[in-house]
Amino acid sequence: MRQDGRFGSFGGTFVPQILLPALEELEASFLEACDDEAFRSELDTLLDDFAGRPTPIYRCRRLCGDSGVAIYLKREDLLHGGAHKTNQVLGQGLLARRIGKERLIAETGAGQHGVATALVGALLGMRTDIYMGAVDVERQQPNVFRMRLLGANVIPVKSGSATLKDAINEALRDWAATFENTHYLLGTVCGPHPFPLMVRELQRVIGREARAQMLEREGRLPDAVIACVGGGSNALGIFADFVDDEEVDLIGVEAAGTGLASGKHGATLQRGRVGVLHGARTLILADDEGQIVESHSVAAGLDYPGVGPEHAQLQAQGRASYVGATDQQALDAFHRLSREEGIIPALESAHAVAHAIELAEAGRVPAGSMLLVNLSGRGDKDLEQVARLSAARNLDASDEQGS
Amino acid sequence: MSRYTQMFDRLRREGAGAFVPFTVVGDPDIDSSYRIIRCLAKAGADALELGLPFSDPVADGPTIQAADLRALGSGVRADDVWRTIAAVRAEWPTLPIGLLVYANLVEVATAAVFYQRAATAGVDSVLIADVPTVECELYARAAADAGILPVLIAAASSSDEHLRTIATTSKGYVYVVTRAGVTGAETEARLEETSRLLQRLAALQAAEPLLGFGISRPEHVRAALRAGAAGVIAGSAVVQQIADHLDRPQQMLDAVSRFVSELKQATKSS
């Protein structure tokens, strides 16, 4: 490798020896492509014409209107594919083609990254196999259908807990045997070097646009940038261009699930320990013996027991802070953004919205503050789940009234 | 002189290759696993390669992953694993014992603590499945401090630079991987590829090569030795015997024993 892929003491290249040549090839191609005008220009054209960039920022008109705090949303939910994922799959897809690969593989949890990979597979005419936990295949049928519609092959993974981490395990196993003709299109800023670096660079466009848009609209930078963190790609995407602006707070919102004390959460940065998972040294959810434990979140995209190593480093440096929003807070924010602004957010993004609401309404930031929230995806995929969860809530309420 | 060196010297005198079976400690439960490991040693294993069960073994295929999950599912804890290894060491003082682990198990405390624990249990070598050459330096140093031999994996796709690191760092033996599950016409091609890799390692004066991945039949053993390997490691095939006889403990031990004897027999020159 040309670089060690470290973010402080985090990151690195923890993979079986047999995969090193694949990562070396990928690193070299990525570094070369960064300096290649033709590559940049093809990617930028696709980002504009295919994906619909730039996405706007929108100043909420009603949400927290009484608090005197302005909440800006970076509208990645308007991107083709319905989430920020499309930004980086286009980059990796072009890179895969540049290296001469014929096949794409990817892991997916809720199916968003799988759908994004299937999009780019169709766009570039590459065979695409998506690994997805069998449990997730069952509960995310619409996305499974979308992937198949787009020509991708969905492979259910039955091993382990049959969810996202097992899908990653399976994709890594596939890649170890097939890397000569296959690119592993990893979906977030996790994994071995160069993935955390590469995915951040391909998502950096979010913050680059948003920073310029804030300056143009308000003549100043926001007081805080807020994004949800599962693996952490949308957060790093919007943080990256603000890291040097020391007056701007960077806040990542993790899934607090049913509460941090309950043990059922995805709050890796707040409650994790240092370990090695899926190719990187980072913070992970594991027991005293080093076995990985299952995470929990109402949002499948935040339901992962690891996190991108750069987030671990930003936290260690004190440059970014990480907080939690519970399932309930996220659901409440989901409903409020829908009813008060006419925008149905992804449950993942609703975690970031929930924290912005809390800051504004609990008076934790002064009136006149400006908060920039990355609305990383739209909520179409979550409608069925939210209907179910909200119906249960109403039922509980009427029970109480009746008793 | 390490137990591996003594083993390779003895095998050279006998004109035989090494047969090294692999099993996950604690599969399917700790007591059965202890019986299985004793059975491997008695049936003629020249050394043992033992896996520490891990929840997410990305370098292993479905067979060994299932074994890891069986072990963890039966409630096996690290203390049980170390106690079992120490008992095997007490019974077989000269048998080389290698561990196959994942980095997260090494880092759960500190690498120094892990290697010390391994040394106390009587382990000779440690291979970390997800620590390649670019990450191996700190681990190799911590291993050496505890008197443990660090083992690395070499593959046909490994660059010259990585093979040089492997040759200088991997002690006791080098774990050489070939592609699993190849048949017929492909076998000859694979044999040639493996021979070339073994020649590259020999030219760098690397430790003796043991060939792993896809060793399940006597002809695989003979082919590996013909290609120039000092021996073979059989993992999935041993574990499969366990998986096939989960409800019949005695048949399980018989099957494991038969398998080891048969493959050990194939290491002896005809």
Side-chain angles (χ1 to χ4, degrees):
Chain A
M1 311 293 292
R2 295 187 200 171
Q3 303 177 359
D4 66 7
R6 285 289 196 279
F7 303 93
S9 61
F10 302 103
T13 315
F14 291 86
V15 294
Q17 187 75 34
I18 197 163
L19 268 176
L20 264 195
L23 293 167
E24 286 175 331
E25 176 184 62
L26 184 60
E27 183 201 44
S29 306
F30 171 68
L31 295 175
E32 282 158 28
C34 287
D35 297 330
D36 180 348
E37 269 308 311
F39 179 87
R40 286 277 5 153
S41 127
E42 184 176 11
L43 177 57
D44 289 344
T45 303
L46 281 175
L47 285 171
D48 292 354
D49 302 351
F50 180 77
R53 297 216 74 89
T55 61
I57 56 170
Y58 164 74
R59 181 175 172 148
C60 289
R61 292 173 171 238
R62 294 179 58 208
L63 187 73
C64 303
D66 298 338
S67 67
V69 174
I71 297 178
Y72 271 94
L73 304 177
K74 176 60 173 168
R75 300 292 308 275
E76 294 300 291
D77 62 314
L78 295 176
L79 201 66
H80 178 48
H84 71 291
K85 299 283 186 190
T86 308
N87 295 323
Q88 76 102 5
V89 294
L90 286 173
Q92 281 200 54
L94 290 181
L95 207 53
R97 200 189 56 189
R98 179 188 171 97
I99 308 171
K101 307 293 181 190
E102 300 152 2
R103 172 176 174 253
L104 300 175
I105 56 172
E107 83 293 342
T108 196
Q112 289 307 102
H113 176 57
V115 168
T117 304
L119 283 179
V120 79
L123 174 75
L124 299 176
M126 296 171 84
R127 213 179 104 209
T128 305
D129 290 315
I130 309 289
Y131 287 96
M132 187 170 186
V135 170
D136 292 331
V137 169
E138 270 313 304
R139 59 186 180 190
Q140 306 289 345
Q141 278 297 320
N143 269 343
V144 172
F145 183 65
R146 274 188 195 99
M147 288 184 259
R148 291 185 170 144
L149 209 54
L150 291 160
N153 178 35
V154 179
I155 304 171
V157 176
K158 299 191 178 74
S159 60
S161 56
T163 58
L164 176 60
K165 80 177 173 69
D166 307 286
I168 297 176
N169 292 344
E170 233 25 73
L172 282 168
R173 288 186 185 110
D174 180 316
W175 204 32
T178 60
F179 63 80
E180 279 166 23
N181 75 346
T182 297
H183 174 64
Y184 177 18
L185 208 161
L186 207 148
T188 187
V189 287
C190 294
H193 177 67
F195 285 108
L197 171 75
M198 180 171 70
V199 175
R200 179 198 72 198
E201 287 307 302
L202 293 171
Q203 292 290 7
R204 181 185 280 276
V205 62
I206 303 172
R208 187 187 307 133
E209 283 176 9
R211 191 176 182 282
Q213 288 164 327
M214 284 300 298
L215 287 175
E216 189 187 323
R217 183 79 63 88
E218 297 287 350
R220 73 168 179 98
L221 296 175
D223 298 293
V225 178
I226 302 169
C228 65
V229 178
S233 69
N234 91 79
L236 277 184
I238 197 162
F239 288 175
D241 266 33
F242 288 100
V243 165
D244 292 335
D245 301 317
E246 284 174 21
E247 69 277 25
V248 179
D249 288 342
L250 304 179
I251 305 171
V253 186
E254 294 188 294
T258 55
L260 291 184
S262 72
K264 291 185 70 182
H265 56 74
T268 318
L269 288 155
Q270 297 166 84
R271 289 297 160 96
R273 54 171 76 208
V274 177
V276 176
L277 178 65
H278 293 144
R281 179 180 290 122
T282 184
L283 289 163
I284 60 173
L285 298 179
D287 67 17
D288 292 342
E289 303 230 318
Q291 308 298 344
I292 309 304
V293 300
E294 282 175 36
S295 52
H296 165 85
S297 172
V298 68
L302 306 183
D303 194 354
Y304 176 61
V307 68
E310 190 170 0
H311 283 296
Q313 173 64 1
L314 287 170
Q315 176 174 255
Q317 289 172 321
R319 179 62 191 94
S321 56
Y322 296 87
V323 299
T326 63
D327 289 351
Q328 192 59 57
Q329 288 170 316
L331 266 173
D332 290 345
F334 182 99
H335 284 290
R336 284 193 59 182
L337 197 67
S338 300
R339 298 175 72 104
E340 295 178 29
E341 297 291 344
I343 297 171
I344 302 174
L347 273 173
E348 290 79 7
S349 321
H351 284 71
V353 175
H355 187 68
I357 292 174
E358 194 185 321
L359 288 182
E361 295 190 344
R364 286 169 55 194
V365 290
S369 299
M370 286 182 194
L371 307 178
L372 173 64
V373 175
N374 194 11
L375 200 69
S376 54
R378 71 176 86 121
D380 305 35
K381 69 185 177 60
D382 298 316
L383 297 185
E384 198 186 323
Q385 190 187 7
V386 171
R388 194 162 29 80
L389 291 170
S390 305
R393 220 157 33 133
N394 291 340
L395 209 61
D396 288 342
S398 61
D399 278 354
E400 276 168 31
Q401 283 159 9
S403 63
Chain B
M1 194 191 289
S2 82
R3 292 189 182 92
Y4 285 107
T5 309
Q6 292 174 39
M7 173 190 77
F8 286 122
D9 285 350
R10 170 178 62 79
L11 290 167
R12 216 169 283 119
R13 287 195 301 275
E14 293 172 2
F19 178 69
V20 184
F22 166 90
T23 191
V24 174
V25 184
D27 174 33
D29 58 76
I30 198 69
D31 293 336
S32 306
S33 182
Y34 179 49
R35 283 192 286 274
I36 291 164
I37 296 167
R38 296 185 72 228
C39 173
L40 296 173
K42 285 182 183 170
D46 293 302
L48 297 173
E49 184 76 4
L50 301 177
L52 261 54
F54 182 48
S55 53
D56 294 80
V58 293
D60 288 299
T63 308
I64 291 173
Q65 187 188 20
D68 282 29
L69 296 180
R70 276 197 299 272
L72 294 173
S74 78
V76 168
R77 311 276 298 172
D79 284 346
D80 302 318
V81 170
W82 295 121
R83 203 174 46 244
T84 301
I85 295 171
V88 174
R89 166 54 69 223
E91 193 169 352
W92 283 277
T94 62
L95 188 70
I97 298 178
L99 283 192
L100 191 145
V101 303
Y102 283 84
N104 199 51
L105 301 179
V106 177
E107 298 214 346
V108 70
T110 65
V113 167
F114 177 86
Y115 285 112
Q116 198 48 59
R117 204 171 284 167
T120 305
V123 165
D124 295 291
S125 68
V126 171
L127 191 171
I128 312 175
D130 52 352
V131 170
T133 41
V134 293
E135 299 286 355
C136 74
E137 199 184 325
L138 291 176
Y139 297 92
R141 207 177 303 145
D145 288 346
I148 295 281
L149 305 170
V151 172
L152 292 176
I153 288 182
S157 58
S158 298
S159 66
D160 288 341
E161 185 195 343
H162 293 313
L163 278 194
R164 273 195 295 277
T165 306
I166 291 162
T168 53
T169 310
S170 193
K171 309 282 191 213
Y173 72 96
V174 175
Y175 194 127
V176 175
V177 300
T178 60
R179 242 168 261 150
V182 285
T183 52
E186 278 178 316
T187 308
E188 281 311 305
R190 180 180 63 146
L191 217 55
E192 261 179 52
E193 191 182 78
T194 305
S195 292
R196 268 198 305 278
L197 173 60
L198 294 177
Q199 284 160 16
R200 290 165 70 201
L201 284 168
L204 294 165
Q205 297 180 301
E208 296 281 8
L210 294 179
L211 215 69
F213 281 30
I215 304 281
S216 63
R217 295 203 301 268
E219 55 266 37
H220 298 151
V221 176
R222 285 190 282 268
L225 298 181
R226 257 203 325 277
V232 296
I233 298 174
S236 300
V238 174
V239 173
Q240 193 59 50
Q241 302 293 338
I242 297 172
D244 287 347
H245 300 89
L246 284 175
D247 299 330
R248 292 159 291 163
Q250 190 52 50
Q251 280 98 319
M252 181 194 287
L253 293 177
D254 292 345
V256 166
S257 184
R258 225 171 17 248
F259 178 79
V260 172
S261 307
E262 192 186 1
L263 267 71
K264 175 57 202 169
Q265 191 57 37
T267 69
K268 297 173 183 172
S269 44
S270 44

